Amino acid sequence: GKQLNEMYNIKNLKTSKTPLLELLGRDRPTSLDFEPFSLDLISEKEKGVLGIGWGDKANKREQNRLTERKGFILQVASTDGVIVGLGEVSPLKGVHEESFQDVKEELSLLKRKLESANAIPTVDAAVVLRLEGGLKLYIHEILEIAGIESLSPSVMSGLEMAILAFSSQVQKKPLLTCLSEYVANTQSVPLVLPLSGIRARSSSDKISNFNDGMDQFIMYNSLKVKVGHQDIEDDIESLSIACQQAKWLRPDANRAWTETEALNFSSNIQKVNTDLIGRIEFVEEPIKRVSGSWSLAKQMITLERWFNRTGIKYGLDESIADLFNIHEGDFNAMTNDMIASFTGINGCAAIVLKPSRLGIELSMRLSKFAYKELGVPVVFSSCFDSGVGLSYAAFLSAVSNLILGLPRENLLAHGIGTFSMLDGDTLCPSFGSYVNKEGILQVSSLSRALYGLSLDEMRGSSPPQIPDDMPARADGTYEALTASSTSGREISVVASLLLPFSDDVACARFADLPQASRWSPWLSSVAYLDAGRESEWTLNVRGVKFSWRAVSDIIQKPYKGIRWESISGLKNMGIVEFEPLDESICIMKVRMTLVAPRILANLFPGASVFLEKFLQDKLLKWSLEMFRDVVKGDLALEKGDVELGDALFSAAEGKANAIEATLSIPDMNIGGEDQ
């Protein structure tokens, strides 16, 4: 509250003509917010997964059991909240050096610094969405203004996600559509993406590709199987079981073996099951990290020797992260090193990229480079991210496949099947709900679903429980009932009011949306966009402006009315119906739901209860009653009854003045904890 007072100079608002939240432009992310999440990890219906991560964390020991994935969903937004972008920050122990607590402190600092920054730069959406270095430069410009030197990889990746989503909204297109256009230079948008499943290191004879969200067993075409860091018998058994569930196998050794042990692995497979070798696409990082002064060239020489003796191709994963660390994420330095190291190389089948570790933009740039300069395809892989992080990895994967130009039946499968090992999701519907029983992700549908998604719409509370209808009172006066979600942010209300004119008149007047501010003084403006189905709304409550865009449709059954839902900004939806009682009387019935913005909640102490009452007894009540009085006044004037019309409008104007006084900000003390 103190920061808001200082930032917007609330004490001087009475004499200042500047609004409380002056619009800096919808192409500037002027605020950052974040919320934590925690999801249980399950493997074969048991809590926890063994051997996840790099180095010692890959060992199948009980102390390495990972039981949950914790992280944060962050949001950047324009001042009026119309343009938003989400990202995920969820460092994985054993892959990221930063911890959950580390990133929490980073995000808190970044939030504070952005709140006090004076001039956040405008997003050049086209430059950012090309993913050729513009995103990194833009974020560095923000960090410089905020006085922050650098961000940890997981925080940087999450911020990149959010800025990309923000930029796609500036362009008014879903992110996958934008990336296809700006990165792959095509108007064609990928519809589907094949995923690779995963089998963790475990003693169970079952496999981790049961999609709990869809109640179905997924038959992936390709399956990653964690090997090494356990007995060779366990490796062979795990691969043999995986052969029953997928056509192609991708063993992932996480640098488990010496050269001799890696040779033993291949020879043992040959002895037990001669078919296994032919089913292996590649083995991820079979050889331990070379000792001494590490370089990519030294590591690949060792890997190439193994390939020459076994005929089994390999993939790079940890080696790319090592390269990232050595060159501090510098794209030019990394690619120059890769060109030199790949000279004479024949055994590398794939480069595995983890966007949450390497960054979104760098991963996409490396993907294009690897294919065009090295002739090696890229497989994007997750770090057991929730649905938000998985979605961005999926978008990069789909665009990478688009650049490869492969037909649909030969599309490369990407390592994003870890969602089946999470007991829940940050998305609702879940990421898994977009995956069919063949392991194919409906990536275009997912992109459309994430377009404009904000923290206010994320899963995390039970919805309000409220009846579908509110019967009108016998005396025709206003009647309403509200309920809120368990978080207190989502509020639903049903209301009714008797109107002394027909349903035809009521529907025609109410559906003329630009007139809405006449009976809702808290609405600054309503304007149609495009062909008229989409509209833009601006609301002013206690000096705070909020805007949103909505789509609406006229309905005829069971009663005449209008249905609407916001598509950006302040989240709200509802329906207004006019039930006829006779030719000159109808009942106006309203049912609506809104999600209270965090800053609005900050303006009201005891926000959840207060906002319910404020919506029910003030905003909605005034709007319905003023709609009745304004339309009555219009009808009186249209009939030539000037005296009655003037009287009705005078009464409506008096109520409007009272409403504006109630909604003003003088002497208001903003306080309370951050919501």
Side-chain angles (χ1 to χ4, degrees):
K2 180 180 178 183
Q3 292 168 355
L4 284 171
N5 277 298
E6 293 174 348
M7 184 175 179
Y8 301 120
N9 195 20
I10 290 172
K11 292 180 179 178
N12 298 326
L13 190 62
K14 290 182 182 180
T15 57
S16 172
K17 295 182 180 180
T18 304
L20 177 61
L21 293 180
E22 181 178 0
L23 286 178
L24 298 176
R26 288 181 178 169
D27 48 3
R28 293 181 177 91
T30 57
S31 68
L32 181 143
D33 206 348
F34 60 94
E35 285 189 355
F37 71 85
S38 177
L39 301 169
D40 288 339
L41 270 169
I42 53 174
S43 178
E44 295 86 40
K45 303 300 180 180
E46 298 175 355
K47 186 172 182 179
V49 180
L50 292 172
I52 297 300
W54 294 338
D56 183 63
K57 290 298 177 184
N59 286 316
K60 195 183 78 173
R61 294 196 295 260
E62 190 59 33
Q63 58 264 40
N64 283 342
R65 181 178 292 275
L66 186 65
T67 60
E68 65 176 349
R69 286 295 283 124
K70 296 197 302 181
F72 298 91
I73 303 300
L74 71 85
Q75 171 183 285
V76 296
S78 59
T79 304
D80 62 0
V82 169
I83 308 296
V84 296
L86 291 183
E88 177 174 334
V89 179
S90 53
L92 177 63
K93 196 172 184 180
V95 174
H96 296 89
E97 295 181 5
E98 63 270 22
S99 66
F100 176 84
Q101 186 60 36
D102 291 336
V103 300
K104 181 180 180 181
E105 293 173 1
E106 275 190 66
L107 289 170
S108 298
L109 175 63
L110 184 59
K111 176 180 169 68
R112 291 196 304 271
K113 292 289 188 178
L114 287 180
E115 285 176 347
S116 59
N118 292 322
I120 299 299
T122 296
V123 171
D124 188 332
V127 171
V128 165
L129 289 163
R130 288 191 185 100
L131 295 180
E132 293 178 348
L135 177 57
K136 180 179 180 180
L137 289 174
Y138 178 72
I139 290 177
H140 282 181
E141 189 176 356
I142 291 177
L143 296 182
E144 184 176 354
I145 291 172
I148 297 175
E149 289 188 9
S150 63
L151 299 173
S152 61
S154 62
V155 175
M156 174 62 83
S157 175
L159 186 56
E160 284 182 304
M161 296 178 200
I163 296 295
L164 281 175
F166 186 96
S167 299
S168 79
Q169 274 204 276
V170 171
Q171 295 291 84
K172 300 182 180 180
K173 300 175 186 176
L175 181 56
L176 183 58
T177 303
C178 289
L179 294 180
S180 300
E181 178 180 345
Y182 289 105
V183 178
N185 298 314
T186 178
Q187 297 299 316
S188 176
V189 179
L191 299 177
V192 297
L193 176 72
L195 306 185
S196 173
I198 182 171
R199 175 174 170 78
R201 296 179 179 93
S202 174
S203 59
S204 172
D205 60 353
K206 297 180 181 179
I207 198 162
S208 302
N209 58 341
F210 189 84
N211 186 350
D212 291 300
M214 294 297 289
D215 194 28
Q216 64 184 19
F217 197 83
I218 301 177
M219 297 292 290
Y220 292 103
N221 191 51
S222 180
L223 194 66
K224 174 186 281 195
V225 183
K226 290 289 187 176
V227 296
H229 302 283
Q230 59 186 2
D231 295 336
I232 186 65
E233 291 80 8
D234 291 336
D235 289 337
I236 294 173
E237 180 185 13
S238 189
L239 288 168
S240 298
I241 295 170
C243 276
Q244 303 169 28
Q245 306 297 334
K247 181 179 180 180
W248 301 107
L249 305 180
R250 297 174 179 175
D252 182 5
N254 292 120
R255 290 179 168 176
W257 303 309
T258 63
E259 284 189 68
T260 300
E261 290 169 336
L263 291 170
N264 289 338
F265 167 77
S266 58
S267 62
N268 275 290
I269 289 178
Q270 198 76 281
K271 291 175 185 176
V272 175
N273 189 337
T274 55
D275 293 334
L276 273 178
I277 294 291
R279 302 275 290 275
I280 293 176
E281 289 184 272
F282 56 86
V283 179
E284 280 188 47
E285 298 282 1
I287 310 296
K288 288 181 178 291
R289 191 178 194 270
V290 294
S291 57
S293 177
W294 185 89
S295 71
L296 180 61
K298 289 181 182 178
Q299 191 74 33
M300 295 194 70
I301 289 171
T302 307
L303 291 166
E304 199 70 10
R305 278 200 304 263
W306 180 75
F307 161 71
N308 290 332
R309 295 188 62 180
T310 65
I312 303 175
K313 293 198 174 246
Y314 58 86
L316 301 179
D317 185 3
E318 286 95 328
S319 294
I320 302 301
D322 284 339
L323 195 67
F324 175 90
N325 292 338
I326 287 174
H327 296 296
E328 298 180 334
D330 183 271
F331 173 75
N332 291 328
M334 290 179 69
T335 52
N336 287 337
D337 198 334
M338 292 172 76
I339 289 173
S341 300
F342 269 78
T343 302
I345 294 297
N346 299 305
C348 184
I351 294 174
V352 180
L353 301 178
K354 289 180 166 58
S356 69
R357 178 65 177 80
L358 303 172
I360 301 295
E361 184 173 57
L362 179 62
S363 294
M364 193 70 249
R365 296 184 77 185
L366 289 174
S367 173
K368 293 173 69 175
F369 164 81
Y371 170 64
K372 293 180 178 180
E373 303 297 330
L374 305 178
V376 178
V378 156
V379 172
F380 285 93
S381 179
S382 74
C383 289
F384 290 82
D385 311 316
S386 80
V388 174
L390 289 175
S391 296
Y392 286 92
F395 301 153
L396 297 184
S397 302
V399 173
S400 179
N401 278 357
L402 196 61
I403 292 171
L404 290 176
L406 298 174
R408 178 167 174 167
E409 60 272 17
N410 294 329
L411 290 175
L412 193 63
H414 291 261
I416 317 175
T418 53
F419 68 90
S420 60
M421 302 179 76
L422 292 173
D423 188 16
D425 199 359
T426 53
L427 293 180
C428 186
S430 68
F431 181 90
S433 67
Y434 295 91
V435 182
N436 67 18
K437 62 182 180 180
E438 284 82 35
I440 304 298
L441 172 68
Q442 306 300 314
V443 67
S444 181
S445 298
L446 176 65
S447 178
R448 290 194 298 270
L450 262 66
Y451 178 71
L453 187 68
S454 68
L455 272 177
D456 291 328
E457 300 167 88
M458 300 296 291
R459 182 182 180 181
S461 64
S462 301
Q465 301 299 315
I466 198 165
D468 292 331
D469 199 358
M470 173 58 64
R473 284 184 172 179
D475 60 3
T477 56
Y478 174 82
E479 175 77 345
L481 179 67
T482 58
S484 62
S485 63
T486 54
S487 69
R489 298 276 305 287
E490 185 177 338
I491 302 171
S492 290
V493 57
V494 291
S496 65
L497 181 68
L498 189 69
L499 301 178
F501 37 84
S502 71
D503 59 321
D504 286 333
V505 170
C507 186
R509 304 294 171 119
F510 193 86
D512 188 3
L513 299 181
Q515 298 293 318
S517 58
R518 295 180 64 203
W519 48 80
S520 298
W522 45 279
L523 284 173
S524 301
S525 64
V526 182
Y528 284 121
L529 303 174
D530 302 326
R533 183 171 181 263
E534 185 176 333
S535 53
E536 184 172 63
W537 301 63
T538 303
L539 152 70
N540 193 326
V541 177
R542 294 196 168 180
V544 184
K545 285 188 176 180
F546 299 97
S547 298
W548 66 94
R549 295 192 185 115
V551 292
S552 56
D553 295 291
I554 300 297
I555 57 175
Q556 299 294 336
K557 296 180 180 180
Y559 307 113
K560 295 177 181 179
I562 186 169
R563 178 187 292 110
W564 78 92
E565 181 173 2
S566 65
I567 56 175
S568 70
L570 183 67
K571 180 64 178 176
N572 67 98
M573 64 189 74
I575 182 172
V576 176
E577 295 178 295
F578 301 96
E579 179 184 350
L581 297 182
D582 58 34
E583 293 183 355
S584 60
I585 300 175
C586 69
I587 299 175
M588 183 180 190
K589 294 183 176 182
V590 180
R591 178 182 176 87
M592 67 176 295
T593 298
L594 66 81
V595 179
R598 283 164 176 76
I599 189 170
L600 186 60
N602 279 344
L603 295 178
F604 299 109
S608 60
V609 176
F610 187 90
L611 286 173
E612 274 190 57
K613 294 297 183 183
F614 192 77
L615 177 64
Q616 173 182 315
D617 299 334
K618 296 290 192 298
L619 295 188
L620 193 58
K621 182 176 187 293
W622 292 334
S623 292
L624 268 61
E625 291 178 345
M626 284 193 66
F627 172 72
R628 176 196 61 197
D629 296 343
V630 167
V631 174
K632 283 172 61 179
D634 285 343
L635 294 174
L637 290 178
E638 290 168 11
K639 293 177 181 179
D641 193 341
V642 177
E643 184 177 350
L644 176 59
D646 287 345
L648 289 168
F649 282 127
S650 294
E653 185 178 358
K655 183 172 289 187
N657 292 335
I659 292 172
E660 290 175 357
T662 303
L663 295 178
S664 64
I665 199 170
D667 302 322
M668 186 183 67
N669 179 30
I670 295 178
E673 296 180 353
D674 182 21
Q675 300 294 314

